[in-house]
Amino acid sequence: MRRDGTAPQMSSLSLLEVRGLDLYFGTPSGGVHALRNVSLEVPAAQIVGIVGESGSGKSTLAYTVMGLLPENAEVTAGAIFFEGRNLFNMPSSARRGIRGDRLSMIFQDPMTSLNPVRSIESQMIDIQHHDRLRSRREKRARAIAMLQRVGIPDPDSRIGDYPHQFSGGMRQRICIAMALLVEPALLIADEPTTALDATLEVQIIRLLKDLQEEIGCAVLFVSHHLGAVAELCDRVAVMYAGEVVEQGTVRDIFHNPAHPYTRALLECDPGRIRKRTRTLPTIPGDVPSLLGVDGGCIFRQRCPSAFDRCRQEKPVEYRIGPEHSARCHLLSEEQKVSA
Amino acid sequence: MATVQANRAEANGEQGPGTFLSFLRQMSKNRLGVLGALLVVLVFASAIFAPLIITHDPIRIMVGPRLAAPSLDFLLGTDQLGRDTFSRIIMGGRIPLLVAFASLGISLALGLVLGLVAGFGPRWLDNVLLLIFDTIRSFPSIIFALAVIGLLGPSVTSIIFVIATTSIPIYARVARTQTEALRNSEYIAAEQSMGAGTTRILAVHVLPNVIGPLIILVSMDVPAVIAVQAGLSFLGLGVRPPTPDWGAVLNDGYNYIKNTPWLAIAGGIPIILATLGFTFLGEALRDIFDPKLGKDL
Amino acid sequence: MSALLRVQDLCVRFRTMGPLKALATGTKHPFVDAVCGVSFEIRKGETLGLVGESGSGKSTVARAIMGLRPPVRGSIRFEGQELTGLTVAERKPYLRRMTMTFQDPIGSLSPRLTVRSLLSEPFRIHGLSNRDAGAETERLLRMVGLPTDFARRYPHQLSGGQARRVGVARALALNPDLIIADEPTAGLDVSVQGEVLNLFARLQDELGIAILIITHNLNVVRHITDRMAIMYLGRFVEIGPTEQIFDQPRHPYTQALLSANTEPDPDAVLNRIEIKGEVPSLMRRPSGCEFHTRCRYVQKICSSVFPETSVSPNDAKHSFKCHFPLEPETARSLQQRPPVPIGSRF
Ligand SMILES: Nc1ncnc2c1ncn2[C@@H]1O[C@H](COP(=O)(O)OP(=O)(O)O)[C@@H](O)[C@H]1O
Ligand SMILES: Nc1ncnc2c1ncn2[C@@H]1O[C@H](COP(=O)(O)OP(=O)(O)O)[C@@H](O)[C@H]1O
Ligand SMILES: [Mg+2]
Ligand SMILES: [Mg+2]
């Protein structure tokens, strides 16, 4: 095992690379340090999941990549490389050009990305504006084919309808259709199934997986639902209170978690527990305030195995496997023991 | 989700909707709001303590020469009847303020009650009340004002009556829309499920959430009412002379504007100050309590 | 044991358009039946789970029981006393004995009241305000495991899990016999979900309260309910002991619903039974068995004849509405294997 202060250097071919990102939200009572030294890679044609409780900064990370941050957000360190180019050094016109062409996004509430007063048809044709070669007719045909593909019955006649004429599940399918119509290199999905019933959730997950394979795009899948992430993703990053505490392949994370937080999170998922029990496991304590984050480990107040060092020093990223790393002092102890 | 909300609220330094301290803290950051509040306090203080401030009897004729220029004795000069303009202006603030607060107070109270009834009561009652509100609103208010003054004669009561009648529907509509939105909220259902009666729900759980936007509306309407009142006085439809009143002073000044412009200026300044003060204060209140209300209100 | 709450043939109807519009468009039946002939009972100290996809009418059942929405037909009896048709004043004494928590943890708390005022609302409403409000607040906060200094907070200063606890504390204030909890875990993180469910389990063990839990999350029902009912388009399609339904669902919809579950294990073998399409609109209720449009075992008779309630031969408490109920063998073969245990590193 190698002690390594920086993010593990993986293949140089990663589609998206987030390096050492630090982000503050300015608020009347001070800066909220919402992302701290976040590093993450999304290799081409892979599905990377981000899991964590609400408030852990998953959406903020997704919005930073999309370039859709609110006005009070400020990135103070780090870089984001997309297809080899640093997004922060790019003129804003070039960034807009990437959005909706190479990068697209779907949201928890489909209504936020659909315009309620325009028909699905005009929205789906408009979204292809980067495409100068196809005629309007061809674009419409592509839109209908895509709606068919995502499982909208009778798309020929329904394409003229407005968003409110569809059910919640249908709207999310339409959003997926719109996001994938432009054949992006990377699709960012922020909790796309959170508002849906389990029956619809599994349908949407299957759909995303199938479409991802067909189109060959990469997906950054944000969710707090462990089951969905386990089923869909190839790689997983676990976030807690603004930090990526552990990342690795989906099997690394679900079968061999290294960080106490990951373990705790997995253990308290009621979906895991088959036998009837009156006391489900929980994570005692609250998520810490991000208003003045000190130097120690961010999880120490709730960690069952915290010790002195956790209060004094922020854990660096330790490599555990070829693609598996975590930020926890226990890993350096273990290293000593095994050495 | 929910945790994020709490976190964000904590981060924004919010203390809860009711705490006076957080209100003061936010208010003190709004410079125009502070200026507005100061002006409003000044206008109020001068009206309340007018008898202590005035230097001469505002009604007595020929306390000095006619149309005298400002001097140490007559701070803002005198008018065509030799009355002290400064004293008339200080005393003259009482009527516009009385008119504004009486008429808007009545409108607020009645508008609120009618709005709550329309928004929370049965559908048919809502429809009936809306019809009445819209009928009143569609009636041209100038013609209505002239008709009322023609019938009742020019007096403070007529002006209050006209203003109250025309603003009640506006407030009632705002109150109704707010109430209707709250009616289907889960916390109202929760109260009903505990057995709370309609009166209790309206008084404790709806009213405090509806009144905010209305108070903001009121403070932003005060300048308009002051201007209307001054305008009616200016046209001779307000209070009878010799009662001191800003509009009346302005009217006197207007007749002699060529030779003695200070009289007109002195009549205009208090109206401008009061208007600005209430407008700034109203906008500040709106920004603090209801940023969603937008700038177009 | 006698039933604490008995609901029989409950029907709740919503208008879909105004009478004028219905006349103009020639719509003969401008209503939807959100709840359609639902019957069940809850005994003292029992936990019943009400499960179904969103829009199946679960919340409407709860609201009808609490008197927030008058039913068009049916009977709701609390300890034998008929509640339908009572005036607000006549109903009030029963609203002390059965209380409800609502879906939105923060939105169901009056936004301008502090936690202390929220917790004394039930006392004030029922004219018991002479009690020591401070002591009561502390007792209730302690009961749901919140620090007593939370009494001064406002709803928006609470996290979802904390607000949920305040909601439960308020429901407990007057020592009810029955709590109806509408989606108690909705909008909460998994770590917090466990806390809330443990709270309900503890309250039941300590206070013997009967609980009706409404949820679309099957993982919730499994641990804390004695019996569960599955709802589809406003009807109960199956009801019975929770463990038995998880082991041997008899209705194909129940089976599909149980299998529509993601597993927190990338290697899980998912014997998923996909349900085709979406829940049909209430305005176009299918004929016969209402699930036939999505059922994988559909036969000719299903689309024309409404299935009567049948009772399981091995357990009289387990009943379902299906012409071709699943045999126990078919149902059991779909059992998923237990998830791989989390590797132990420490
Ligand atoms: N516009 C904002 N202003 C201030 N704080 C914010 C803002 N947006 C998010 N935050 C804070 O940043 C943290 C991360 O939020 P978010 O990315 O939405 O979390 P997640 O998506 O994981 O639930 C939270 O503590 C949240 O309160
Ligand atoms: N106030 C209402 N007006 C009209 N239709 C309603 C109303 N409340 C619920 N419904 C309809 O009744 C059906 C059942 O709703 P609900 O009981 O909320 O379902 P659930 O709680 O199972 O998600 C839905 O189709 C919904 O559209
Ligand atoms: Mg989020
Ligand atoms: Mg519901």
Side-chain angles (χ1 to χ4, degrees):
Chain A
M1 207 174 288
R2 174 169 62 96
R3 197 191 145 122
D4 190 352
T6 58
Q9 206 63 48
M10 285 186 34
S11 64
S12 55
L13 293 170
S14 269
L15 177 70
L16 177 79
E17 271 192 59
V18 178
R19 284 202 202 137
L21 195 65
D22 264 63
L23 181 143
Y24 284 87
F25 284 111
T27 69
S29 37
V32 172
H33 204 165
L35 293 179
R36 293 182 306 283
N37 196 11
V38 167
S39 298
L40 182 84
E41 293 184 36
V42 182
Q46 283 212 12
I47 307 186
V48 176
I50 303 181
V51 272
E53 289 169 274
S54 53
S56 56
K58 308 180 296 293
S59 301
T60 306
L61 179 57
Y63 280 59
T64 315
V65 175
M66 275 310 274
L68 296 175
L69 284 171
E71 270 175 28
N72 64 337
E74 193 193 345
V75 175
T76 53
I80 300 180
F81 292 94
F82 179 68
E83 298 186 317
R85 293 194 292 167
N86 187 344
L87 292 179
F88 294 148
N89 295 344
M90 220 179 250
S92 56
S93 61
R95 256 199 118 169
R96 268 200 306 279
I98 289 179
R99 209 154 55 215
D101 182 26
R102 307 293 300 153
L103 257 181
S104 55
M105 184 157 179
I106 50 182
F107 301 85
Q108 173 173 342
D109 178 5
M111 273 320 235
T112 53
S113 46
L114 292 174
N115 184 339
V117 297
R118 293 182 55 208
S119 70
I120 299 298
E121 173 171 2
S122 66
Q123 297 187 49
M124 287 190 79
I125 291 175
D126 261 18
I127 202 152
Q128 304 177 56
H129 67 273
H130 289 289
D131 184 347
R132 300 250 153 72
L133 299 174
R134 289 195 178 88
S135 69
R136 198 180 155 83
R137 200 111 152 253
E138 286 169 314
K139 288 180 180 172
R140 183 168 184 276
R142 284 189 77 220
I144 291 177
M146 198 55 166
L147 287 179
Q148 176 99 49
R149 179 64 196 84
V150 298
I152 304 286
D154 197 13
D156 269 315
S157 62
R158 295 223 66 185
I159 192 169
D161 286 356
Y162 289 81
H164 70 265
Q165 290 168 295
F166 294 88
S167 70
M170 289 287 179
R171 276 184 220 139
Q172 197 57 284
R173 286 168 194 269
I174 292 170
C175 287
I176 293 174
M178 281 177 60
L180 292 180
L181 202 53
V182 298
E183 294 178 349
L186 175 64
L187 171 70
I188 298 180
D190 187 8
E191 313 236 10
T193 59
T194 301
L196 303 177
D197 276 326
T199 44
L200 292 177
E201 174 171 48
V202 296
Q203 291 178 14
I204 295 284
I205 287 175
R206 290 311 324 162
L207 178 66
L208 270 177
K209 185 128 194 155
D210 293 347
L211 285 170
Q212 183 265 341
E213 275 164 17
E214 274 172 46
I215 295 173
C217 63
V219 179
L220 186 62
F221 182 77
V222 172
S223 179
H224 68 265
H225 190 170
L226 297 166
V229 170
E231 181 163 350
L232 182 62
C233 300
D234 304 308
R235 298 175 50 80
V236 179
V238 182
M239 286 190 77
Y240 179 73
E243 293 177 17
V244 173
V245 293
E246 178 165 5
Q247 53 185 318
T249 66
V250 68
R251 282 185 187 77
D252 288 337
I253 300 294
F254 281 90
H255 292 168
N256 201 14
H259 197 284
Y261 176 66
T262 314
R263 287 184 65 83
L265 198 61
L266 290 178
E267 268 163 10
C268 68
D269 183 356
R272 255 185 53 81
I273 301 155
R274 281 297 147 62
K275 277 232 304 286
R276 186 184 156 92
T277 165
R278 300 290 277 179
T279 40
L280 292 160
T282 60
I283 308 179
D286 284 316
V287 183
S289 161
L290 301 182
L291 270 172
V293 180
D294 60 14
C297 169
I298 188 74
F299 186 57
R300 64 170 191 275
Q301 290 96 340
R302 301 172 79 184
C303 182
S305 16
F307 57 111
D308 276 353
R309 192 170 165 199
C310 305
R311 197 164 355 97
Q312 292 143 6
E313 188 186 336
K314 203 157 205 82
V316 293
E317 191 165 15
Y318 295 99
R319 269 289 187 94
I320 303 147
E323 297 185 45
H324 190 182
S325 65
R327 292 174 184 275
C328 176
H329 288 310
L330 289 172
L331 297 169
S332 74
E333 297 288 300
E334 189 184 70
Q335 188 182 12
K336 271 185 212 138
V337 174
S338 64
Chain B
M1 281 168 296
T3 339
V4 187
Q5 243 176 19
N7 226 327
R8 221 169 267 177
E10 177 195 318
N12 289 344
E14 283 174 30
Q15 290 286 305
T19 58
F20 189 60
L21 255 172
S22 83
F23 164 72
L24 281 188
R25 189 161 349 113
Q26 287 191 60
M27 189 74 194
S28 63
K29 283 191 193 141
N30 187 326
R31 285 210 202 116
L32 278 184
V34 172
L35 178 65
L38 284 179
L39 284 175
V40 167
V41 168
L42 184 77
V43 169
F44 264 107
S46 71
I48 291 168
F49 300 112
L52 305 176
I53 301 171
I54 53 174
T55 49
H56 300 273
D57 184 341
I59 297 173
R60 234 183 83 211
I61 296 178
M62 301 308 280
V63 291
R66 289 163 193 250
L67 296 171
S71 64
L72 269 183
D73 194 13
F74 305 104
L75 289 172
L76 295 171
T78 57
D79 65 5
Q80 76 281 13
L81 298 176
R83 296 176 295 198
D84 178 38
T85 309
F86 175 74
S87 303
R88 282 183 68 72
I89 280 174
I90 294 294
M91 277 310 258
R94 292 185 146 194
I95 285 177
L97 288 179
L98 172 74
V99 168
F101 279 84
S103 59
L104 293 180
I106 294 169
S107 317
L108 177 67
L110 285 180
L112 202 53
V113 169
L114 290 175
L116 288 177
V117 169
F120 214 80
R123 247 279 93 76
W124 64 266
L125 189 59
D126 185 29
N127 288 334
V128 169
L129 285 172
L130 281 184
L131 192 69
I132 297 176
F133 299 159
D134 290 344
T135 315
I136 297 178
R137 286 210 312 176
S138 59
F139 201 81
S141 47
I142 309 254
I143 298 182
F144 178 68
L146 292 177
V148 169
I149 292 169
L151 279 173
L152 303 180
S155 72
V156 172
T157 336
S158 326
I159 298 180
I160 292 176
F161 180 76
V162 168
I163 294 175
T165 319
T166 47
S167 10
I168 286 172
I170 300 173
Y171 293 179
R173 251 188 177 276
V174 173
R176 173 200 168 265
T177 312
Q178 300 267 333
T179 310
E180 176 136 76
L182 293 181
R183 180 191 188 147
N184 296 322
S185 63
E186 274 205 341
Y187 76 88
I188 298 292
E191 293 293 329
Q192 283 172 331
S193 81
M194 288 188 280
T198 309
T199 330
R200 181 179 178 81
I201 290 178
L202 284 179
V204 182
H205 304 285
V206 177
L207 185 80
N209 296 298
V210 167
I211 202 163
L214 284 179
I215 301 257
I216 297 164
L217 266 187
V218 165
S219 66
M220 295 176 76
D221 273 354
V222 170
V225 174
I226 291 177
V228 167
Q229 195 274 336
L232 288 173
S233 294
F234 182 85
L235 296 173
L237 298 172
V239 291
R240 303 254 163 96
T243 318
D245 172 65
W246 291 343
V249 176
L250 195 62
N251 186 17
D252 294 342
Y254 180 72
N255 295 328
Y256 302 92
I257 198 157
K258 280 218 179 105
N259 303 323
T260 56
W262 55 85
L263 194 51
I265 294 173
I269 282 177
I271 299 180
I272 292 173
L273 287 184
T275 309
L276 284 181
F278 279 104
T279 309
F280 291 159
L281 182 65
E283 282 179 353
L285 290 179
R286 181 197 62 198
D287 291 347
I288 292 174
F289 287 121
D290 213 351
K292 288 186 295 285
L293 229 52
K295 305 279 180 208
D296 49 28
L297 228 162
Chain C
M1 219 195 304
S2 71
L4 184 65
L5 179 79
R6 168 169 288 156
V7 173
Q8 267 170 320
D9 195 28
L10 182 73
C11 292
V12 185
R13 178 169 278 189
F14 291 106
R15 217 170 227 296
T16 48
M17 53 179 86
L20 282 178
K21 188 174 174 203
L23 207 64
T25 54
T27 314
K28 284 206 195 67
H29 192 78
F31 305 103
V32 292
D33 289 312
V35 176
C36 202
V38 161
S39 305
F40 64 94
E41 59 177 54
I42 301 177
R43 288 181 294 277
K44 253 187 162 31
E46 187 193 29
T47 311
L48 175 67
L50 195 51
V51 195
E53 289 171 273
S54 59
S56 56
K58 308 180 296 293
S59 301
T60 308
V61 170
R63 283 165 180 261
I65 295 173
M66 296 306 292
L68 298 174
R69 176 85 214 175
V72 285
R73 204 174 69 221
S75 126
I76 299 166
R77 283 170 186 273
F78 187 84
E79 284 191 339
Q81 162 69 43
E82 180 63 52
L83 297 186
T84 54
L86 293 192
T87 63
V88 176
E90 289 166 338
R91 186 186 299 275
K92 209 166 160 180
Y94 298 96
L95 297 181
R96 273 182 74 165
R97 310 205 29 215
M98 56 182 197
T99 53
M100 174 163 171
T101 66
F102 289 76
Q103 178 166 349
D104 182 348
I106 295 172
S108 56
L109 304 177
S110 191
R112 276 168 207 271
L113 298 194
T114 58
V115 168
R116 176 198 299 258
S117 320
L118 285 166
L119 293 183
S120 31
E121 270 292 287
F123 297 105
R124 276 190 237 121
I125 289 170
H126 290 277
L128 308 165
S129 39
N130 50 352
R131 297 206 196 179
D132 179 359
E136 287 292 345
T137 309
E138 275 188 25
R139 174 182 73 91
L140 291 169
L141 285 176
R142 221 171 280 134
M143 194 142 63
V144 296
L146 284 177
T148 47
D149 59 330
F150 269 54
R152 285 197 307 275
R153 295 209 184 184
Y154 288 91
H156 75 268
Q157 296 171 314
L158 304 171
S159 70
Q162 292 161 349
R164 173 61 71 216
R165 280 163 186 269
V166 171
V168 174
R170 178 171 67 176
L172 286 172
L174 300 175
N175 300 322
D177 298 307
L178 170 68
I179 291 190
I180 301 178
D182 193 356
E183 306 274 6
T185 57
L188 303 180
D189 281 308
V190 279
S191 55
V192 190
Q193 281 182 16
E195 281 179 29
V196 170
L197 295 179
N198 291 347
L199 172 65
F200 274 108
R202 185 165 62 79
L203 293 175
Q204 181 159 42
D205 293 343
E206 288 172 9
L207 307 173
I209 299 175
I211 305 179
L212 174 61
I213 286 207
I214 294 174
T215 180
H216 66 262
N217 184 346
L218 283 159
N219 298 327
V220 167
V221 196
R222 177 181 260 148
H223 298 296
I224 55 167
T225 63
D226 305 312
R227 291 189 302 137
M228 66 192 273
I230 290 92
M231 228 178 150
Y232 187 73
L233 283 184
R235 280 187 219 279
F236 281 8
V237 296
E238 183 159 5
I239 181 168
T242 304
E243 263 169 275
Q244 189 164 346
I245 290 189
F246 269 93
D247 280 351
Q248 300 175 8
R250 304 300 304 274
H251 197 288
Y253 178 63
T254 311
Q255 185 194 32
L257 206 59
L258 289 173
S259 78
N261 209 351
T262 53
E263 293 289 328
D265 174 9
D267 294 330
V269 182
L270 303 161
N271 293 314
R272 221 171 253 157
I273 299 155
E274 202 177 324
I275 333 183
K276 285 172 276 174
E278 298 203 358
V279 185
S281 156
L282 283 174
M283 282 186 273
R284 287 182 296 277
R285 212 172 247 290
S287 60
C289 169
E290 283 146 355
F291 186 57
H292 84 260
T293 52
R294 300 168 80 194
C295 185
R296 65 200 304 233
Y297 309 107
V298 63
Q299 305 275 329
K300 211 159 177 193
I301 182 175
C302 299
S303 58
S304 52
V305 181
F306 185 78
E308 286 307 314
T309 307
S310 7
V311 176
S312 174
N314 31 358
D315 188 347
K317 281 188 288 186
H318 186 175
S319 61
F320 42 87
K321 291 194 186 78
C322 181
H323 291 300
F324 305 98
L326 301 168
E327 290 313 314
E329 293 70 46
T330 352
R332 205 171 300 151
S333 69
L334 289 158
Q335 270 304 295
Q336 295 136 331
R337 63 182 176 122
V340 183
I342 300 171
S344 67
R345 171 166 291 275
F346 306 118

